[in-house]
Amino acid sequence: MHMKTFDIFSFAIKYLKDQAFGRLVKALKNVETNDIHYVLTVPAIWDDQAKIFLRKAAEKAGIKGKDLTIALEPETASIYCQELRTNRDGNSNKTFSETIKKGTKYVVVDLGGGTADLTVHERLLDDSLEEVLPPSGGNWGGTANDQAYIEISARCFY
């Protein structure tokens, strides 16, 4: 059986959406579909066409365009890390964002399965974040490393 990539993406998004909604209804009881805003993350190396493809697949899966944000993985990693508890300054009750001074620049390294993406952010004086260097990277994620290891092993042992 052959299926189009678009249909596979749409099916997967619908499945995840339905599973998440089912769990929310079970936990919160009074949740409705219009209470939810979805965020789908994509590798930084994805071009606009790939993002449009994902958006259309999500719409086919039943997510309205106004209820969907497509976000870059390094950006979401940076935002997530802002709330992580850290022991950077010897106080494990503070979040990462509470321990970095205004004007501090830091590198976000997103090592995924297929890609590795790097970007530099800065904590500004008003506590907002700014992208100092745009995301860059390539197909150097975990699967590429796995493949390289297999190839080296094959050369060494065969």
Side-chain angles (χ1 to χ4, degrees), residues 34-64:
N34 61 353
D35 295 329
I36 301 171
H37 187 88
Y38 297 88
V39 178
L40 294 177
T41 62
V42 298
I45 63 171
W46 275 29
D47 62 17
D48 287 340
Q49 286 301 107
K51 294 173 199 168
I52 291 168
F53 171 89
L54 187 66
R55 180 172 290 281
K56 287 181 179 178
E59 288 173 358
K60 182 179 178 185
I63 299 174
K64 296 176 185 169

PDB file of all heavy atoms in Angstrom, residues 34-64:
ATOM      1  N   ASN A  34     -11.791  24.852  21.243  1.00  0.00           N
ATOM      2  CA  ASN A  34     -11.379  26.241  21.009  1.00  0.00           C
ATOM      3  C   ASN A  34     -10.567  26.816  22.170  1.00  0.00           C
ATOM      4  O   ASN A  34     -10.125  27.960  22.102  1.00  0.00           O
ATOM      5  CB  ASN A  34     -12.585  27.133  20.678  1.00  0.00           C
ATOM      6  CG  ASN A  34     -13.605  27.173  21.800  1.00  0.00           C
ATOM      7  OD1 ASN A  34     -13.493  26.451  22.783  1.00  0.00           O
ATOM      8  ND2 ASN A  34     -14.611  28.006  21.631  1.00  0.00           N
ATOM      9  N   ASP A  35     -10.335  26.035  23.223  1.00  0.00           N
ATOM     10  CA  ASP A  35      -9.469  26.452  24.336  1.00  0.00           C
ATOM     11  C   ASP A  35      -8.003  26.140  24.056  1.00  0.00           C
ATOM     12  O   ASP A  35      -7.132  26.541  24.820  1.00  0.00           O
ATOM     13  CB  ASP A  35      -9.853  25.719  25.635  1.00  0.00           C
ATOM     14  CG  ASP A  35     -11.232  26.085  26.130  1.00  0.00           C
ATOM     15  OD1 ASP A  35     -11.655  27.237  25.900  1.00  0.00           O
ATOM     16  OD2 ASP A  35     -11.893  25.226  26.760  1.00  0.00           O
ATOM     17  N   ILE A  36      -7.730  25.422  22.978  1.00  0.00           N
ATOM     18  CA  ILE A  36      -6.389  24.897  22.736  1.00  0.00           C
ATOM     19  C   ILE A  36      -5.717  25.646  21.586  1.00  0.00           C
ATOM     20  O   ILE A  36      -6.315  25.888  20.538  1.00  0.00           O
ATOM     21  CB  ILE A  36      -6.441  23.396  22.406  1.00  0.00           C
ATOM     22  CG1 ILE A  36      -7.076  22.631  23.573  1.00  0.00           C
ATOM     23  CG2 ILE A  36      -5.048  22.856  22.094  1.00  0.00           C
ATOM     24  CD1 ILE A  36      -7.379  21.187  23.272  1.00  0.00           C
ATOM     25  N   HIS A  37      -4.464  26.008  21.814  1.00  0.00           N
ATOM     26  CA  HIS A  37      -3.614  26.546  20.747  1.00  0.00           C
ATOM     27  C   HIS A  37      -2.472  25.557  20.564  1.00  0.00           C
ATOM     28  O   HIS A  37      -1.777  25.234  21.524  1.00  0.00           O
ATOM     29  CB  HIS A  37      -3.073  27.934  21.099  1.00  0.00           C
ATOM     30  CG  HIS A  37      -2.342  28.554  19.960  1.00  0.00           C
ATOM     31  ND1 HIS A  37      -2.984  29.298  19.002  1.00  0.00           N
ATOM     32  CD2 HIS A  37      -1.043  28.515  19.607  1.00  0.00           C
ATOM     33  CE1 HIS A  37      -2.098  29.704  18.112  1.00  0.00           C
ATOM     34  NE2 HIS A  37      -0.909  29.231  18.450  1.00  0.00           N
ATOM     35  N   TYR A  38      -2.286  25.072  19.361  1.00  0.00           N
ATOM     36  CA  TYR A  38      -1.288  24.059  19.068  1.00  0.00           C
ATOM     37  C   TYR A  38       0.009  24.710  18.598  1.00  0.00           C
ATOM     38  O   TYR A  38      -0.017  25.699  17.867  1.00  0.00           O
ATOM     39  CB  TYR A  38      -1.798  23.108  17.978  1.00  0.00           C
ATOM     40  CG  TYR A  38      -3.017  22.338  18.397  1.00  0.00           C
ATOM     41  CD1 TYR A  38      -4.301  22.857  18.200  1.00  0.00           C
ATOM     42  CD2 TYR A  38      -2.900  21.101  19.005  1.00  0.00           C
ATOM     43  CE1 TYR A  38      -5.422  22.151  18.597  1.00  0.00           C
ATOM     44  CE2 TYR A  38      -4.015  20.383  19.407  1.00  0.00           C
ATOM     45  CZ  TYR A  38      -5.278  20.919  19.204  1.00  0.00           C
ATOM     46  OH  TYR A  38      -6.379  20.224  19.603  1.00  0.00           O
ATOM     47  N   VAL A  39       1.123  24.122  19.002  1.00  0.00           N
ATOM     48  CA  VAL A  39       2.442  24.546  18.531  1.00  0.00           C
ATOM     49  C   VAL A  39       3.135  23.314  17.975  1.00  0.00           C
ATOM     50  O   VAL A  39       3.329  22.331  18.699  1.00  0.00           O
ATOM     51  CB  VAL A  39       3.288  25.167  19.659  1.00  0.00           C
ATOM     52  CG1 VAL A  39       4.670  25.556  19.133  1.00  0.00           C
ATOM     53  CG2 VAL A  39       2.577  26.372  20.264  1.00  0.00           C
ATOM     54  N   LEU A  40       3.469  23.366  16.691  1.00  0.00           N
ATOM     55  CA  LEU A  40       4.250  22.294  16.069  1.00  0.00           C
ATOM     56  C   LEU A  40       5.655  22.831  15.834  1.00  0.00           C
ATOM     57  O   LEU A  40       5.816  23.933  15.306  1.00  0.00           O
ATOM     58  CB  LEU A  40       3.614  21.865  14.745  1.00  0.00           C
ATOM     59  CG  LEU A  40       2.240  21.209  14.842  1.00  0.00           C
ATOM     60  CD1 LEU A  40       1.693  20.906  13.453  1.00  0.00           C
ATOM     61  CD2 LEU A  40       2.302  19.935  15.670  1.00  0.00           C
ATOM     62  N   THR A  41       6.637  22.074  16.248  1.00  0.00           N
ATOM     63  CA  THR A  41       8.022  22.520  16.090  1.00  0.00           C
ATOM     64  C   THR A  41       8.653  21.874  14.864  1.00  0.00           C
ATOM     65  O   THR A  41       8.322  20.740  14.508  1.00  0.00           O
ATOM     66  CB  THR A  41       8.860  22.196  17.339  1.00  0.00           C
ATOM     67  OG1 THR A  41       8.903  20.778  17.530  1.00  0.00           O
ATOM     68  CG2 THR A  41       8.281  22.862  18.579  1.00  0.00           C
ATOM     69  N   VAL A  42       9.561  22.636  14.248  1.00  0.00           N
ATOM     70  CA  VAL A  42      10.249  22.153  13.053  1.00  0.00           C
ATOM     71  C   VAL A  42      11.737  22.465  13.185  1.00  0.00           C
ATOM     72  O   VAL A  42      12.119  23.416  13.868  1.00  0.00           O
ATOM     73  CB  VAL A  42       9.689  22.793  11.764  1.00  0.00           C
ATOM     74  CG1 VAL A  42       8.229  22.432  11.566  1.00  0.00           C
ATOM     75  CG2 VAL A  42       9.884  24.296  11.756  1.00  0.00           C
ATOM     76  N   PRO A  43      12.580  21.674  12.529  1.00  0.00           N
ATOM     77  CA  PRO A  43      14.013  21.985  12.526  1.00  0.00           C
ATOM     78  C   PRO A  43      14.269  23.359  11.904  1.00  0.00           C
ATOM     79  O   PRO A  43      13.540  23.795  11.014  1.00  0.00           O
ATOM     80  CB  PRO A  43      14.623  20.879  11.651  1.00  0.00           C
ATOM     81  CG  PRO A  43      13.622  19.765  11.679  1.00  0.00           C
ATOM     82  CD  PRO A  43      12.280  20.433  11.796  1.00  0.00           C
ATOM     83  N   ALA A  44      15.302  24.021  12.378  1.00  0.00           N
ATOM     84  CA  ALA A  44      15.630  25.362  11.881  1.00  0.00           C
ATOM     85  C   ALA A  44      15.972  25.356  10.397  1.00  0.00           C
ATOM     86  O   ALA A  44      15.824  26.373   9.731  1.00  0.00           O
ATOM     87  CB  ALA A  44      16.785  25.950  12.691  1.00  0.00           C
ATOM     88  N   ILE A  45      16.407  24.229   9.871  1.00  0.00           N
ATOM     89  CA  ILE A  45      16.803  24.188   8.459  1.00  0.00           C
ATOM     90  C   ILE A  45      15.611  24.033   7.518  1.00  0.00           C
ATOM     91  O   ILE A  45      15.780  24.100   6.310  1.00  0.00           O
ATOM     92  CB  ILE A  45      17.846  23.078   8.179  1.00  0.00           C
ATOM     93  CG1 ILE A  45      17.263  21.695   8.458  1.00  0.00           C
ATOM     94  CG2 ILE A  45      19.123  23.323   8.961  1.00  0.00           C
ATOM     95  CD1 ILE A  45      18.157  20.552   7.990  1.00  0.00           C
ATOM     96  N   TRP A  46      14.406  23.850   8.057  1.00  0.00           N
ATOM     97  CA  TRP A  46      13.233  23.734   7.190  1.00  0.00           C
ATOM     98  C   TRP A  46      12.981  25.056   6.491  1.00  0.00           C
ATOM     99  O   TRP A  46      12.982  26.120   7.115  1.00  0.00           O
ATOM    100  CB  TRP A  46      12.002  23.333   7.993  1.00  0.00           C
ATOM    101  CG  TRP A  46      11.861  21.855   8.203  1.00  0.00           C
ATOM    102  CD1 TRP A  46      12.859  20.945   8.281  1.00  0.00           C
ATOM    103  CD2 TRP A  46      10.645  21.146   8.379  1.00  0.00           C
ATOM    104  NE1 TRP A  46      12.342  19.694   8.499  1.00  0.00           N
ATOM    105  CE2 TRP A  46      10.980  19.793   8.564  1.00  0.00           C
ATOM    106  CE3 TRP A  46       9.318  21.508   8.414  1.00  0.00           C
ATOM    107  CZ2 TRP A  46      10.028  18.799   8.766  1.00  0.00           C
ATOM    108  CZ3 TRP A  46       8.352  20.525   8.620  1.00  0.00           C
ATOM    109  CH2 TRP A  46       8.719  19.189   8.784  1.00  0.00           C
ATOM    110  N   ASP A  47      12.686  25.007   5.201  1.00  0.00           N
ATOM    111  CA  ASP A  47      12.374  26.222   4.459  1.00  0.00           C
ATOM    112  C   ASP A  47      10.875  26.525   4.564  1.00  0.00           C
ATOM    113  O   ASP A  47      10.101  25.757   5.152  1.00  0.00           O
ATOM    114  CB  ASP A  47      12.829  26.115   3.007  1.00  0.00           C
ATOM    115  CG  ASP A  47      12.135  25.002   2.231  1.00  0.00           C
ATOM    116  OD1 ASP A  47      11.073  24.491   2.674  1.00  0.00           O
ATOM    117  OD2 ASP A  47      12.650  24.631   1.168  1.00  0.00           O
ATOM    118  N   ASP A  48      10.474  27.660   3.985  1.00  0.00           N
ATOM    119  CA  ASP A  48       9.073  28.085   4.079  1.00  0.00           C
ATOM    120  C   ASP A  48       8.115  27.083   3.450  1.00  0.00           C
ATOM    121  O   ASP A  48       7.017  26.878   3.961  1.00  0.00           O
ATOM    122  CB  ASP A  48       8.899  29.465   3.441  1.00  0.00           C
ATOM    123  CG  ASP A  48       9.498  30.568   4.293  1.00  0.00           C
ATOM    124  OD1 ASP A  48       9.710  30.355   5.509  1.00  0.00           O
ATOM    125  OD2 ASP A  48       9.757  31.653   3.747  1.00  0.00           O
ATOM    126  N   GLN A  49       8.524  26.446   2.367  1.00  0.00           N
ATOM    127  CA  GLN A  49       7.657  25.464   1.712  1.00  0.00           C
ATOM    128  C   GLN A  49       7.357  24.289   2.646  1.00  0.00           C
ATOM    129  O   GLN A  49       6.230  23.798   2.689  1.00  0.00           O
ATOM    130  CB  GLN A  49       8.287  24.965   0.416  1.00  0.00           C
ATOM    131  CG  GLN A  49       8.226  25.975  -0.718  1.00  0.00           C
ATOM    132  CD  GLN A  49       6.801  26.375  -1.049  1.00  0.00           C
ATOM    133  OE1 GLN A  49       6.386  27.473  -0.738  1.00  0.00           O
ATOM    134  NE2 GLN A  49       6.054  25.500  -1.666  1.00  0.00           N
ATOM    135  N   ALA A  50       8.366  23.839   3.380  1.00  0.00           N
ATOM    136  CA  ALA A  50       8.167  22.726   4.309  1.00  0.00           C
ATOM    137  C   ALA A  50       7.224  23.135   5.443  1.00  0.00           C
ATOM    138  O   ALA A  50       6.383  22.338   5.881  1.00  0.00           O
ATOM    139  CB  ALA A  50       9.510  22.261   4.870  1.00  0.00           C
ATOM    140  N   LYS A  51       7.359  24.374   5.917  1.00  0.00           N
ATOM    141  CA  LYS A  51       6.472  24.869   6.984  1.00  0.00           C
ATOM    142  C   LYS A  51       5.032  24.990   6.487  1.00  0.00           C
ATOM    143  O   LYS A  51       4.089  24.659   7.216  1.00  0.00           O
ATOM    144  CB  LYS A  51       6.971  26.212   7.510  1.00  0.00           C
ATOM    145  CG  LYS A  51       8.303  26.107   8.221  1.00  0.00           C
ATOM    146  CD  LYS A  51       8.807  27.492   8.564  1.00  0.00           C
ATOM    147  CE  LYS A  51      10.289  27.463   8.835  1.00  0.00           C
ATOM    148  NZ  LYS A  51      10.875  28.789   8.897  1.00  0.00           N
ATOM    149  N   ILE A  52       4.863  25.441   5.243  1.00  0.00           N
ATOM    150  CA  ILE A  52       3.523  25.537   4.649  1.00  0.00           C
ATOM    151  C   ILE A  52       2.918  24.141   4.520  1.00  0.00           C
ATOM    152  O   ILE A  52       1.737  23.928   4.810  1.00  0.00           O
ATOM    153  CB  ILE A  52       3.582  26.258   3.282  1.00  0.00           C
ATOM    154  CG1 ILE A  52       3.917  27.736   3.495  1.00  0.00           C
ATOM    155  CG2 ILE A  52       2.284  26.083   2.506  1.00  0.00           C
ATOM    156  CD1 ILE A  52       4.294  28.475   2.220  1.00  0.00           C
ATOM    157  N   PHE A  53       3.737  23.188   4.097  1.00  0.00           N
ATOM    158  CA  PHE A  53       3.303  21.786   3.997  1.00  0.00           C
ATOM    159  C   PHE A  53       2.773  21.295   5.346  1.00  0.00           C
ATOM    160  O   PHE A  53       1.686  20.700   5.428  1.00  0.00           O
ATOM    161  CB  PHE A  53       4.476  20.927   3.525  1.00  0.00           C
ATOM    162  CG  PHE A  53       4.234  19.452   3.573  1.00  0.00           C
ATOM    163  CD1 PHE A  53       3.676  18.799   2.488  1.00  0.00           C
ATOM    164  CD2 PHE A  53       4.577  18.714   4.698  1.00  0.00           C
ATOM    165  CE1 PHE A  53       3.458  17.424   2.523  1.00  0.00           C
ATOM    166  CE2 PHE A  53       4.357  17.345   4.742  1.00  0.00           C
ATOM    167  CZ  PHE A  53       3.793  16.706   3.648  1.00  0.00           C
ATOM    168  N   LEU A  54       3.535  21.550   6.416  1.00  0.00           N
ATOM    169  CA  LEU A  54       3.135  21.102   7.754  1.00  0.00           C
ATOM    170  C   LEU A  54       1.851  21.796   8.196  1.00  0.00           C
ATOM    171  O   LEU A  54       0.960  21.161   8.762  1.00  0.00           O
ATOM    172  CB  LEU A  54       4.255  21.360   8.761  1.00  0.00           C
ATOM    173  CG  LEU A  54       4.018  20.776  10.152  1.00  0.00           C
ATOM    174  CD1 LEU A  54       4.013  19.249  10.099  1.00  0.00           C
ATOM    175  CD2 LEU A  54       5.090  21.260  11.115  1.00  0.00           C
ATOM    176  N   ARG A  55       1.741  23.085   7.927  1.00  0.00           N
ATOM    177  CA  ARG A  55       0.534  23.836   8.292  1.00  0.00           C
ATOM    178  C   ARG A  55      -0.692  23.251   7.587  1.00  0.00           C
ATOM    179  O   ARG A  55      -1.744  23.053   8.198  1.00  0.00           O
ATOM    180  CB  ARG A  55       0.703  25.314   7.957  1.00  0.00           C
ATOM    181  CG  ARG A  55      -0.519  26.165   8.298  1.00  0.00           C
ATOM    182  CD  ARG A  55      -0.255  27.633   8.137  1.00  0.00           C
ATOM    183  NE  ARG A  55       0.655  28.136   9.143  1.00  0.00           N
ATOM    184  CZ  ARG A  55       0.324  28.430  10.402  1.00  0.00           C
ATOM    185  NH1 ARG A  55      -0.920  28.241  10.808  1.00  0.00           N
ATOM    186  NH2 ARG A  55       1.220  28.898  11.240  1.00  0.00           N
ATOM    187  N   LYS A  56      -0.571  22.952   6.294  1.00  0.00           N
ATOM    188  CA  LYS A  56      -1.694  22.389   5.542  1.00  0.00           C
ATOM    189  C   LYS A  56      -2.060  20.994   6.061  1.00  0.00           C
ATOM    190  O   LYS A  56      -3.240  20.647   6.136  1.00  0.00           O
ATOM    191  CB  LYS A  56      -1.375  22.356   4.051  1.00  0.00           C
ATOM    192  CG  LYS A  56      -1.414  23.736   3.426  1.00  0.00           C
ATOM    193  CD  LYS A  56      -1.126  23.686   1.935  1.00  0.00           C
ATOM    194  CE  LYS A  56      -1.201  25.088   1.354  1.00  0.00           C
ATOM    195  NZ  LYS A  56      -0.893  25.101  -0.081  1.00  0.00           N
ATOM    196  N   ALA A  57      -1.047  20.211   6.421  1.00  0.00           N
ATOM    197  CA  ALA A  57      -1.312  18.882   6.983  1.00  0.00           C
ATOM    198  C   ALA A  57      -2.046  19.008   8.319  1.00  0.00           C
ATOM    199  O   ALA A  57      -2.961  18.227   8.614  1.00  0.00           O
ATOM    200  CB  ALA A  57      -0.007  18.109   7.159  1.00  0.00           C
ATOM    201  N   ALA A  58      -1.663  19.989   9.126  1.00  0.00           N
ATOM    202  CA  ALA A  58      -2.327  20.208  10.415  1.00  0.00           C
ATOM    203  C   ALA A  58      -3.776  20.660  10.202  1.00  0.00           C
ATOM    204  O   ALA A  58      -4.681  20.236  10.929  1.00  0.00           O
ATOM    205  CB  ALA A  58      -1.554  21.238  11.230  1.00  0.00           C
ATOM    206  N   GLU A  59      -3.993  21.498   9.197  1.00  0.00           N
ATOM    207  CA  GLU A  59      -5.353  21.942   8.905  1.00  0.00           C
ATOM    208  C   GLU A  59      -6.218  20.771   8.451  1.00  0.00           C
ATOM    209  O   GLU A  59      -7.369  20.646   8.854  1.00  0.00           O
ATOM    210  CB  GLU A  59      -5.336  23.070   7.880  1.00  0.00           C
ATOM    211  CG  GLU A  59      -4.814  24.374   8.478  1.00  0.00           C
ATOM    212  CD  GLU A  59      -4.613  25.495   7.464  1.00  0.00           C
ATOM    213  OE1 GLU A  59      -4.845  25.278   6.252  1.00  0.00           O
ATOM    214  OE2 GLU A  59      -4.208  26.591   7.898  1.00  0.00           O
ATOM    215  N   LYS A  60      -5.643  19.883   7.647  1.00  0.00           N
ATOM    216  CA  LYS A  60      -6.389  18.686   7.230  1.00  0.00           C
ATOM    217  C   LYS A  60      -6.693  17.795   8.440  1.00  0.00           C
ATOM    218  O   LYS A  60      -7.717  17.124   8.486  1.00  0.00           O
ATOM    219  CB  LYS A  60      -5.604  17.888   6.178  1.00  0.00           C
ATOM    220  CG  LYS A  60      -6.371  16.674   5.682  1.00  0.00           C
ATOM    221  CD  LYS A  60      -5.643  15.890   4.632  1.00  0.00           C
ATOM    222  CE  LYS A  60      -6.465  14.671   4.244  1.00  0.00           C
ATOM    223  NZ  LYS A  60      -5.774  13.801   3.325  1.00  0.00           N
ATOM    224  N   ALA A  61      -5.813  17.851   9.445  1.00  0.00           N
ATOM    225  CA  ALA A  61      -6.002  17.057  10.667  1.00  0.00           C
ATOM    226  C   ALA A  61      -7.026  17.686  11.611  1.00  0.00           C
ATOM    227  O   ALA A  61      -7.313  17.133  12.666  1.00  0.00           O
ATOM    228  CB  ALA A  61      -4.670  16.892  11.384  1.00  0.00           C
ATOM    229  N   GLY A  62      -7.554  18.846  11.227  1.00  0.00           N
ATOM    230  CA  GLY A  62      -8.603  19.458  12.034  1.00  0.00           C
ATOM    231  C   GLY A  62      -8.152  20.604  12.924  1.00  0.00           C
ATOM    232  O   GLY A  62      -8.907  21.054  13.782  1.00  0.00           O
ATOM    233  N   ILE A  63      -6.947  21.097  12.723  1.00  0.00           N
ATOM    234  CA  ILE A  63      -6.460  22.237  13.503  1.00  0.00           C
ATOM    235  C   ILE A  63      -6.639  23.488  12.652  1.00  0.00           C
ATOM    236  O   ILE A  63      -6.071  23.593  11.561  1.00  0.00           O
ATOM    237  CB  ILE A  63      -4.978  22.058  13.896  1.00  0.00           C
ATOM    238  CG1 ILE A  63      -4.813  20.811  14.762  1.00  0.00           C
ATOM    239  CG2 ILE A  63      -4.465  23.298  14.617  1.00  0.00           C
ATOM    240  CD1 ILE A  63      -3.366  20.464  15.073  1.00  0.00           C
ATOM    241  N   LYS A  64      -7.419  24.437  13.160  1.00  0.00           N
ATOM    242  CA  LYS A  64      -7.645  25.685  12.427  1.00  0.00           C
ATOM    243  C   LYS A  64      -6.370  26.512  12.412  1.00  0.00           C
ATOM    244  O   LYS A  64      -5.613  26.525  13.372  1.00  0.00           O
ATOM    245  CB  LYS A  64      -8.768  26.477  13.075  1.00  0.00           C
ATOM    246  CG  LYS A  64     -10.106  25.777  13.017  1.00  0.00           C
ATOM    247  CD  LYS A  64     -11.161  26.568  13.748  1.00  0.00           C
ATOM    248  CE  LYS A  64     -12.459  25.781  13.788  1.00  0.00           C
ATOM    249  NZ  LYS A  64     -13.422  26.394  14.696  1.00  0.00           N
TER     250      LYS A  64
END
